[in-house]
Amino acid sequence: MTHDHDLVLRPTQEQITAALNPPAGRNGGDLVVETLAGLGATTVFGLPGQHALGMFDALRRSDLRYVGLRVENNAGFAADAYGRITGEAAPLLLSTGPGALTSLAALQEAAAASAPVLAISSQIPTAGLGGGRHGYLHELPDQAASFRGVVKSVHTVRTQSQIPSAIEAAWKSALTAPHGPVWVEIPQDVLLAETSIPVVSGGDAFPEEVVPRPELTAVAAHLLSGAERPAIIAGGGVVRSDASGKLLRLAETLKAPVVTTPGGKGAFPWEHPLSLQSWIEDRHTTDFLEDADVLLVVGSGLGELSSNYHTFRPRGRVVQIEADLGKLESNHPALGIHADARLALQALLETVSERQDESAPERVREVLAKVAARIAGQELTLEQEVLASVRRALPADSPSFWDMTILAYWAWSAFDAKGPNRMHSAQGAGGLGYGFPAALGAAAADPTRPALAVSGDGGALYSIAELATARQYGLNVTWLIVDDGGYGILREYMNDAFGEATATELTRPDYVALAESFGVPGVRTTPETLEADLAKALSEPGPSVVVLPALLRMFAPTHLGTE
């Protein structure tokens, strides 16, 4: 019997001739860029360094587009966003030692948010590998060890013949659910040495599908079909697997209310009669979910934010669909189904019975009314108006990227993303500096739509250098900087906990003048003029900066037992 995987395509005579006579002047770096192109990559991000020059020299002999950022961590954020927007593995080219290590925070965010990033770093020469102290520039005893606890997989190359296979394996790993960052490292001498290896002519790295077990989806369908008060929590896995349409059909079949996590923004229509929107940090929503007799959790690990800071205590049966085994039943006992959200939701759609329940929309309206009343009682009109102005100014199909700032914390709960894969934030790992470089990556992925970045002044200072990147490549990004003179959310936390804040106040530049010094148009706005100024900036091609001096406050939390 012949199996499909036993079949090997025979090369044509033309391919044989080309393989026997590779062009001169190629090195190991050419094998890197040829493999990336063969796998379908079109754009790479990064920052050159001495050990990585072989890769960067090869770029000029390839058709790959290079977007160079000014800080490796920002290059990682840009690749992260490119991967989220396109669903493709985003190549990130880095140098050894400090260059590599500076990307760690971005790779942690990519890991937490399941963004497919293919990081390829140089290494010290092969003779220096093995942990000895040879005194090479950038030398580490075990560079890969710094990344093993962050990325999905690590691939170390020692010879040129290993380059195509290692990159293909890493590509497949990055795109197998759950998506995530991967790490490949190649010694300097391997990248620089001339090569006689044939030109890499293609790639075959199709990701493996994580298919649900049918006996488990059968039980889940039975539980959901017979539930009296089913409810659904939709996480980022629904967005990443492009399963929003299937989620909508399932919710309507079951008459099940749906709340989305911050990572799942846009997975369910905001104004749908069954939509609890994203108020997952609110105790009224938590109470509603706890009361469900069957709770379906799709593409979420029920982590800190999604469980209202671990105060969520479900009383009914929980069915959890999750592609990441590490998240499956990690916080709550459940009928755990290890699967890609799209495949599992399709299996449920083929099995569940339609429920009749006319009360679900009214119960949703009651919860949203309670949430609205709670917020209305806190005199937070400014914050709500600012967020509403941003929503009105931003085109419905434009993506937005939010740093760790008070307005972003509002957006997690109160911002209508207008569809899946349009709102992204750094809430996975929670590091500062994500918003602007991520928006640059999104603009590189899709130059037809303006991208919005939102930062506080503290987070903005992490990314100022990338104004040069935005200008150099003419990237279509508008950067909204909410300037409150410090780390605003930390100021609130410390004042609440200790009565006064320490180390939260910042001396900062004139952001408008600074933007203009880079050749980027800037404008200082007010809450009253924000909508018009932001809409104008977004409508004009190329980068722009809008600065809003404003002291915003957070709505009161509900997980501390003070209400």
Side-chain angles (χ1 to χ4, degrees):
M1 180 180 292
T2 300
H3 298 279
D4 287 345
H5 54 73
D6 292 327
L7 298 176
V8 178
L9 293 177
R10 293 182 178 178
T12 65
Q13 186 59 48
E14 183 180 352
Q15 289 172 321
I16 293 173
T17 301
L20 293 173
N21 299 278
R26 293 163 60 249
N27 59 24
D30 287 276
L31 296 174
V32 172
V33 299
E34 290 165 6
T35 303
L36 291 174
L39 289 166
T42 59
T43 301
V44 300
F45 300 88
L47 200 153
Q50 180 175 328
H51 289 158
L53 295 181
M55 280 194 294
F56 284 84
D57 177 61
L59 280 174
R60 66 183 172 86
R61 292 187 291 277
S62 80
D63 292 327
L64 294 176
R65 176 178 59 153
Y66 171 66
V67 179
L69 287 93
R70 301 309 194 266
V71 182
E72 288 87 353
N73 199 51
N74 293 336
F77 285 142
D80 166 303
Y82 187 96
R84 296 192 201 195
I85 292 294
T86 64
E88 303 168 3
L92 172 64
L93 306 186
L94 302 168
S95 191
T96 321
L101 296 177
T102 302
S103 72
L104 271 169
L107 294 177
Q108 184 189 5
E109 176 58 41
S114 297
V117 175
L118 174 55
I120 304 176
S121 165
S122 57
Q123 249 290 19
I124 59 175
T126 308
L129 300 180
R133 295 180 63 85
H134 304 278
Y136 285 105
L137 180 73
H138 305 330
E139 180 179 284
L140 290 167
D142 185 357
Q143 178 175 278
S146 299
F147 295 87
R148 287 195 182 96
V150 176
V151 300
K152 281 187 69 178
S153 58
V154 170
H155 310 258
T156 298
V157 169
R158 289 179 179 268
T159 66
Q160 290 182 339
S161 63
Q162 296 175 359
I163 290 174
S165 295
I167 292 176
E168 282 197 3
W171 182 279
K172 182 177 180 179
S173 174
L175 290 175
T176 295
H179 293 173
V182 294
W183 185 258
V184 179
E185 55 182 32
I186 308 171
Q188 178 190 29
D189 54 322
V190 174
L191 290 171
L192 288 174
E194 188 173 349
T195 185
S196 59
I197 293 174
V199 174
V200 182
S201 58
D204 180 9
F206 295 106
E208 297 176 3
E209 290 193 324
V210 184
V211 181
R213 300 192 64 83
E215 66 273 16
L216 295 179
T217 55
V219 174
H222 174 74
L223 290 171
L224 290 164
S225 299
E228 293 184 5
R229 299 177 309 283
I232 299 173
I233 297 177
V238 176
V239 175
R240 288 187 293 276
S241 64
D242 195 21
S244 300
K246 297 184 187 300
L247 173 67
L248 176 60
R249 287 171 52 200
L250 183 65
E252 291 179 338
T253 300
L254 294 172
K255 309 297 189 292
V258 178
V259 64
T260 60
T261 70
K265 295 287 289 190
F268 197 74
W270 190 257
E271 300 292 347
H272 192 282
L274 293 172
S275 175
L276 289 163
Q277 299 177 355
S278 298
W279 288 98
I280 202 160
E281 290 186 57
D282 190 282
R283 190 65 223 176
H284 298 302
T285 305
T286 306
D287 290 342
F288 183 91
L289 296 172
E290 288 180 344
D291 186 56
D293 58 339
V294 180
L295 178 67
L296 175 62
V297 183
V298 190
S300 171
L302 290 180
E304 189 171 43
L305 293 178
S306 304
S307 62
N308 201 355
Y309 298 90
H310 298 297
T311 61
F312 173 55
R313 299 286 184 271
R315 295 190 292 273
R317 290 292 301 271
V318 176
V319 176
Q320 185 185 15
I321 297 167
E322 177 55 60
D324 188 337
L325 273 175
K327 295 179 180 178
L328 196 63
E329 295 190 70
S330 62
N331 287 307
H332 296 280
L335 174 65
I337 302 176
H338 180 222
D340 177 80
R342 178 178 53 83
L343 300 176
L345 287 173
Q346 180 59 39
L348 291 179
L349 280 169
E350 294 171 357
T351 317
V352 296
S353 302
E354 186 168 2
R355 291 183 65 255
Q356 301 301 320
D357 182 358
E358 302 304 320
S359 69
E362 178 57 32
R363 290 188 288 122
V364 167
R365 285 193 292 270
E366 289 175 359
V367 173
L368 293 178
K370 290 178 182 177
V371 172
R374 183 177 81 85
I375 299 300
Q378 297 178 40
E379 299 181 356
L380 295 166
T381 304
L382 171 63
E383 290 75 9
Q384 292 174 288
E385 289 181 347
V386 166
L387 194 63
S389 294
V390 174
R391 179 62 279 172
R392 289 192 298 267
L394 182 66
D397 63 346
S398 279
S400 58
F401 296 84
W402 303 70
D403 217 326
M404 299 297 287
T405 186
I406 287 177
L407 193 60
Y409 289 24
W410 270 93
W412 293 346
S413 294
F415 192 75
D416 178 4
K418 300 290 185 185
N421 209 22
R422 292 181 192 163
M423 178 183 165
H424 302 275
S425 73
Q427 59 89 24
L432 278 173
Y434 173 81
F436 187 52
L440 297 179
D446 182 1
T448 66
R449 300 178 295 169
L452 173 68
V454 181
S455 300
D457 56 292
L461 290 171
Y462 278 64
S463 311
I464 286 295
E466 305 312 336
L467 284 168
T469 301
R471 180 71 280 161
Q472 180 171 347
Y473 297 99
L475 295 171
N476 199 11
V477 174
T478 292
W479 191 8
L480 173 61
I481 301 174
V482 182
D483 184 357
D484 65 3
Y487 299 120
I489 192 65
L490 300 180
R491 182 192 289 140
E492 280 205 13
Y493 289 161
M494 294 190 80
N495 280 326
D496 289 345
F498 310 116
E500 60 181 300
T502 304
T504 59
E505 306 313 299
L506 298 173
T507 296
R508 68 274 192 205
D510 179 335
Y511 286 103
V512 172
L514 185 58
E516 291 174 343
S517 75
F518 283 91
V520 174
V523 62
R524 184 171 287 99
T525 190
T526 67
E528 293 74 25
T529 59
L530 172 61
E531 180 182 347
D533 288 338
L534 193 58
K536 182 175 185 292
L538 286 160
S539 69
E540 296 174 346
S544 57
V545 171
V546 177
V547 180
L548 173 65
L551 183 62
L552 305 182
R553 296 187 298 132
M554 271 302 294
F555 52 81
T558 65
H559 65 278
L560 301 177
T562 56
E563 293 199 358

